[in-house]
Amino acid sequence: MTDREPPAWLWLKERLARLRQSTTPGRAGTEPAAVAVRTAVVTDSAAALPAEWVKAFVADGRLAVVPMPVLVGEEIYGEGEDDITQTLSLALAAGSSVKTSRPSPGQFEQAYLAAQDRGFEAVVSIHISAGLSGTADAARLAAQRVSIPVEVIDSRTVGMAQGMGVQSALVAGADGRSAAEVRRFAEERLGRTKVYFYVPSLEQLRRGGRIGTAASWLGTMLSIKPILAVDDGKIVPLEKVRSAAKAVARLEEIVAADVNSRPLGQSRLAVHHFGNLAEAERLAARLGEKCPGCPPAQISALPAVLAAHAGLGVLAVVVGESSTPGATTLLRDSADATANQASTRRSHP
């Protein structure tokens, strides 16, 4: 399913295109130069950013995604480096050992040094919740080893909720904002995201030690279908439902209520799945009917590092808000500055 691109990303692509044109030999002076991007963004593969989207922003170094390792049996796979979907699916179905780990500090150090070599002045590094992984700690260790200033953010979330914070950081960076301003904008957007999900079984979460307060449900997990959420960086139980169909229907109701509590037209949705694409597409279609003010939900497989803990058949919905220029003070300032420049050019041809 192809997303209709939100206005923020159209704006971002246009801004970056102008940046590239302004530095292309022979193009100087053809149009006013765009504000230089001073801050690069680094994240990890738990952000679940669409692969096509990532490709558009990694080429010139403004974005780097550090792969998170997944251990299937004795083999170690790098998310984004190896195609592990089928291997992981088979392992989960067979109940084989599946584990995850954080990236090494050296991997982050390489990403920060690459940004420095590209001429960036600072880095904002956004990572999976510290309540679920030690990845942010590895990033902080790396930040101490490099001379380029690095702002490390514990997103306190996962999946495209984390990814939306990354995208917002790129928007602010493309606006020429300082690292501190990019961090504030990303944290503000991250604070407005929620993750709700349904798993057919709590078993994988139990094995990985990520079950949190939902552990009290283990005694009855064969007779319930849990709905969970990520709250303050940890997995928390929301409701126990008696059948899969009722659980998915209730998930839809929870998401719709969240969307309807937000400013009209500002919400964005993402739907994650693993091993059940058709079910995710049906869920996204129904959410489109219940949340008519939202763009079509982005649908993507859960990253392997998260699917390893959620298991087969997971359905997750991320609710966030747009980073559209004009939707925040930060980006309104940019729009006002552009308008003033245009007015000056008209007054002084």
Side-chain angles (χ1 to χ4, degrees), residues 44 102-106 108 112 125 127-131 133-145 152-154:
D44 54 71
R102 72 180 192 181
S104 69
F108 289 115
Y112 302 154
S125 203
H127 301 293
I128 180 176
S129 171
S133 169
T135 300
D137 287 338
R140 291 188 183 98
L141 287 172
Q144 296 171 7
R145 301 177 182 175
V152 177
I153 298 176
D154 169 7

Side-chain angles (χ1 to χ4, degrees), residues 262-278:
R262 298 171 185 251
L264 184 64
Q266 282 298 303
S267 296
R268 293 179 56 204
L269 295 175
V271 174
H272 292 310
H273 63 91
F274 196 74
N276 51 336
L277 172 60

Side-chain angles (χ1 to χ4, degrees), residues 49 57 64 66 111 181 187 211 228 276 283 349:
L49 291 163
F57 300 106
V66 175
E181 291 173 313
E187 288 181 328
I211 201 166
L228 307 136
N276 51 336
L283 171 60

Side-chain angles (χ1 to χ4, degrees), residues 198-202 214 216-227 239-244 247:
Y198 151 75
V199 291
S201 168
L202 293 172
S216 61
W217 290 358
L218 281 171
T220 57
M221 67 181 182
L222 294 178
S223 60
I224 66 162
K225 300 300 178 184
I227 299 176
E239 296 183 10
K240 294 183 284 187
V241 185
R242 290 294 179 182
S243 72

Side-chain angles (χ1 to χ4, degrees), residues 2-14:
T2 303
D3 287 351
R4 184 175 65 210
E5 292 191 86
W9 314 137
L10 295 174
W11 176 88
L12 180 56
K13 285 184 176 181
E14 180 182 348

